[in-house]
Structures are given as structure tokens and as C-alpha cells.
Amino acid sequence: MLNLQVENEAPVVGRQVSPAAIFDTLQRYQQTMALKGAIDLELFTHIAKGVVTPGALALSCHASERGIRILCDFMTILGFLRKTDEGYRLTPESAVFLDKASPAYMGSITGFLSSERTLARFSDVAAIVRRGGPEVSSMQPESDWWVDFAEHMGPMVMMVAQMAANLLAQPGRRVRVLDIAAGHGLFGISVARQNRAAEITALDWKNVLGVAERNAARAGVQDRFRTIPGSVFEVDIESRYDLVVVANFLHCFDIPTNIGLLKKVWTAMKPGGLLATVELVPNEDRISPPIAASFSMNMLGATNGGDAYTFSEFDRMFRAAGFDGSRMQLLEPTPHALILTAR
Amino acid sequence: MLNLQVENEAPVVGRQVSPAAIFDTLQRYQQTMALKGAIDLELFTHIAKGVVTPGALALSCHASERGIRILCDFMTILGFLRKTDEGYRLTPESAVFLDKASPAYMGSITGFLSSERTLARFSDVAAIVRRGGPEVSSMQPESDWWVDFAEHMGPMVMMVAQMAANLLAQPGRRVRVLDIAAGHGLFGISVARQNRAAEITALDWKNVLGVAERNAARAGVQDRFRTIPGSVFEVDIESRYDLVVVANFLHCFDIPTNIGLLKKVWTAMKPGGLLATVELVPNEDRISPPIAASFSMNMLGATNGGDAYTFSEFDRMFRAAGFDGSRMQLLEPTPHALILTAR
């Protein structure tokens, strides 16, 4: 039986101490599942078309009015809808990112971020903490985990990739770009779109490169898009690159592994070349800002040595691999940062 | 393939529109699972004992240092720990509610609130919304769902029950109390502890009453604790009660069902008797305050007709069943409210 303690006197509890946050947190999974459900039902897309009452939305979404009303209220509480006397309205965020007719629609990210198999990774966090990592790392060679990632996360990454390319593309200059662990390929592709003289080499496992090649063809840059299939830790890389992009990759490994990788990157670069690292970078306290700092939990659940590294940790890794100092630039309003390091 | 839209120009996105909230919400399930994991590991209990560094906590929790560090940082981000130069510290909330040595410890609530089978109810919210309810309602007769509830949720309810009893017990006065859908029994038991002349009758399914009877025995009130096994919708109830408690029950049903139930409650009460309803009651806008308003999503996932009702909806139900007007009192700092209705 549980520690009900009904035999004792009432615990002395300060007026301001409430169990509300605990109660709330233990049910936050419903926030993930409900937003995913709303995207599945194309709720935001229907509201964008002017269908705004529970009754009308129930018809459009082929759903029950009770379910739609409760879901719309819940989305309002979470900040993804507004509730007015006339019906529900999109917020600026849901209009840009959750309406299928928007060019920045990113509903597909649920297929990776909160897919059944991603959620399954976190079904027993105590066991993960005991082990210090997942039962099976997501870093297995040729894992289709990363095909899933590349196929679903593109729209989320697009904004980050475009902002990074604004800073990296050097339009008109002939630059050879190596995109390491390219995934969807969007970092290299974004540079190629902004600089018609840029040549991109995307390195990733063969199964993942299929996604990148399709995206390059859609962007019309396929004639300047080469690939190197394989693991960056194993393949040979020529010393020919002006710009190396390592986006959302170093967080997958421990520091010694990263230093080894960065030494290889150093040799692949021409003198005067630039290394561009894109990451979620927490402050030195590792507990702020919330989204970047929380990312370490993701790495605990998915990798055996990865982490959300601070800027000073990155800087030490780059120096240990032979690079000079780095500087960091936030890619706001996204939660990502770009770290620029000279060879 | 997905709507990557790489062939178009960059979407025009206002400076302040960020995908961060969407990214965050689609991963909030990790907050639930990590808090559950920290409770499983007795992390807060060890910190309360003065074990405060990742290395020392790893030994005490039989876990990895990497896992403990990341988990502690995550708990700090969520507000359940503080991070200092010397190590991690409990917050007032975690000291009162998450340290096993605290009389108000409520770690057991994970066994109901975020159990595997509770989570499974929300695995496909789109399907729930389409249907307008769960595949299988939690309101099946003799469902062990409610045994789970009674066994695990006591510590969470205890504070609410004690605060309600402060207002209801009328110490020294001989009152006959009917506790409908008593569950853990703590509402009636709390009245019995504060009023030695009170006689409690707990009504619930037979399997659930076993939990209530054990709790009554622990509280030393078993000689004033009778039971009526069965469904409140089916059993006969004598017209003899001065006080009827209906705690966290009306939210399980639709309004017509509740009016029928309340008519039966009316006949079970003596003239001048009091009906005490405990609920999570959102404001009339149904979208605030967040915890009470969000509770409707719980009811969508668990019941076919239930809801988080507003005060005006409750008041109309009481009046339709023959009661006079009601008044509501918040049980702060808990998220619950007590509605008092005269017969």
C-alpha cells in the first residue's frame, strides 16, 4: 500500500506550496499527443480556410463536435489558437507553421519528433538514467532512424538552414562546400541556392543521401550536388573544401569522438576555410535557455555519449582539433545557433 | 515526399514568429517521462538526504553519472530542483511532495496519472477526437482502472480532502455523510477525522471499496465507516444524509446523466442538508486557468460524455435536480474547487 499517511496529522504545508506543477507535468504528454492529433486532423488548415466553429470543424475534420471543441480549447490553452466569440482563430505561429497551405508548414515533424518509436525511447527514463544511455543507440550504421529524420524534419530545419546560408553563401564566389551528415541536405542546398558558383558535397549514409538528392533535384541544384556515401568516421575526404557545414551532428557524440572528427574536418579544409557548426547551444549554466538546455535529455535518450554542449565546450573541442577561436551567432527566432570557426 | 517547398523562395516569416513552441510541445512528453523517471529513481529523496552532486547521486541512485547530470539539469529547467555551485537542491514543492520521507509525498501518483495504460489512452488523439471519446470508456463497471486510481492518487487528493473537510466537518455535530464514488475514501475519512461524531457511508464498486476500507482502518475511523457496494446509478440509497460529498465524479458524465444522478442525491438528503462537490472548474471561457481547463482533455480521453464543467454549468445541473443556488470556494493552492449546494 502507498504512503497515504492518513494516520498522521495533516502535513504542514506552506500556503504557496502546491502540487499543481507536479500534477501538470505528469500529464504534459497529453500536450504532445494533442498537438500531434490536431495536426493529423488538419485542424489548423481547416481553420485557416475559415471553418472556425466546433460544429463546422467537426464536419470538415470528419470528427465529433465534442472532440473538436475540447481539442480546440486545449490548443487555445497551449497558445496555438485564439478563441473568439465567432470561433477559433490561428495564432501567427500556427498560421505560418501548421496550415498545410503555408510554404513554411512543418506538420511533418511529428513523424519524427513524436513518432511512436521516438516516444518508445523515453518509455522508461529511470532505465535510461541507470544505463547512461538508450538500450539501442540511434547511431547504428545505416539506421533508418536517420532516413526518418531526413524525411520529416526538413520543414523545421529549413528556416535555420536559410538563415545560416544568408551568412555563409558568399554569392558569386566559387566555394566548395562539404555538408557532413547532411541528412535532408538542406544546409548545403540552401547555400547552393544563394550562390550559383557554390559546389556542394553531401556526406551521409547511402540510405539517407537518397532524401538529400531528391531535395537537391527539387531545388534545381542537382548539377552542383555531389555525394560521399558512408560514415564520416570511415570515408576518405579530399583536402579541398572552403566551407564545411556540421549541422546538428556533434551533439550525437562525446567530446573525444568529436575532437577526432574535427581533426579530420581540419585536414579536409583549405587554409582560410570556414567551419560552420549549427547546434542547440545552452548557456554555460546548462539550464537555460529552456529549449536548448532541454536538448540534452534528447541526447541521453538517443545516444551513448551525446549532449547539448555549451559554447565554451565547443570552443575547446575546436581548439583541440587545431582550429583557432570561434564566434557564435544566434539564429533567432529559431532556437539554434551558428558557430563560425576559421581554419 | 513532404512539403519541403525547397523549390520556392524562403517563406516570408515575421521576426517574432518562431517554431520553438511547436518544437517544444511535440517533445513535452519527455517532461512527463523524466519526472516519472526521477521519482522512480528516488532522486528527490536522495537529494533531501544531502546527496547533491551527480557523482554522489549516481552511486545512491545506482545510476550513471551522465544520466543523473542530464536528469538533474532537466528537473532544474522544469522547476523541481535548483542548481547551485555545491550541487542540486530541492525546491519547496519537491521537498514537500517528492521526498519519500515527507508526510505529503505523492510520488505514487505516477502509477495512475502517467501509467503505461493511461498513456496508451492518448496514443492517437486524432482517433479520440474523431470518435468523440475513448475506444473503451474508463467507466466500465468494476473496472480496475478505479482501483488503480484509488490506490495511487490518495496523496494527491489528501491535501484537497483535508481542506474540504476543514469547511465541511462541523466538529461535534452528529452528521451522516454519504461519500459517492468514494474511491480512496479520503474525503469521508477526512471529515470523520475532524468530527468524531460523523458517520461515513462510502459508496463505490466493491473492488474499489477495499482500498477505502484499508484507508479508513489506517485513519482509525473504521467503526464509523460503512460502505454501499455498487453503482450509484443502481443501488438504493436511504434518505438519511446530512452531507453528501461528490468529489471528482460529475466530470465523468454528460449533463443529462448528472442531472439524473443529482436528483437521486437530492432524495438521499435530509432537508437542510448540504451537497459538497469537489471539481476542477474552469472559468466560463473554458480556457483558463490552464490546469482546470486542460482537464477536459483528460475526460475526452477517458469517458464518453464527461467534461471539465464551468460553475454556471454545475449550478444549472443542481437547479435542474431540485437544489437551490450554489457557491464555489477555491481550495488554493490546489487546483481544485469546492461547490456547496443546499438541499
Side-chain angles (χ1 to χ4, degrees), chain A residues 239 265-275 322-324 341-343:
Chain A
S239 295
V265 169
W266 194 92
T267 64
M269 287 168 69
K270 288 196 281 199
L274 192 66
L275 169 61
F323 289 94
D324 283 336
T341 312
R343 154 86 155 80

Side-chain angles (χ1 to χ4, degrees), chain A residues 2 4 6 8 18 25 27-28 31-32 64 66 69 129 132 151 158 193 215 285 298 303 306-307 333, chain B residues 2 4 6 8 18 25 27-28 30-32 64 66 69 83 129 132 151 193 215 298 303 306-307 333:
Chain A
L2 296 137
L4 289 176
V6 289
N8 295 335
S18 162
T25 302
Q27 298 184 92
R28 281 211 192 137
Q31 300 182 10
T32 295
S64 70
R66 175 189 186 225
R69 173 180 59 77
V129 172
E151 286 188 337
M158 180 56 95
R193 289 175 68 224
N215 288 336
D285 63 9
N298 256 313
T303 70
D307 210 335
Chain B
L2 295 137
L4 290 175
V6 289
N8 295 336
S18 162
T25 302
Q27 298 184 93
R28 284 215 186 133
Q30 291 180 12
Q31 300 184 9
T32 295
S64 70
R66 174 190 186 226
R69 173 181 60 76
K83 188 176 186 178
V129 172
E151 285 187 337
R193 290 175 68 225
N215 287 337
N298 256 313
T303 71
D307 210 335

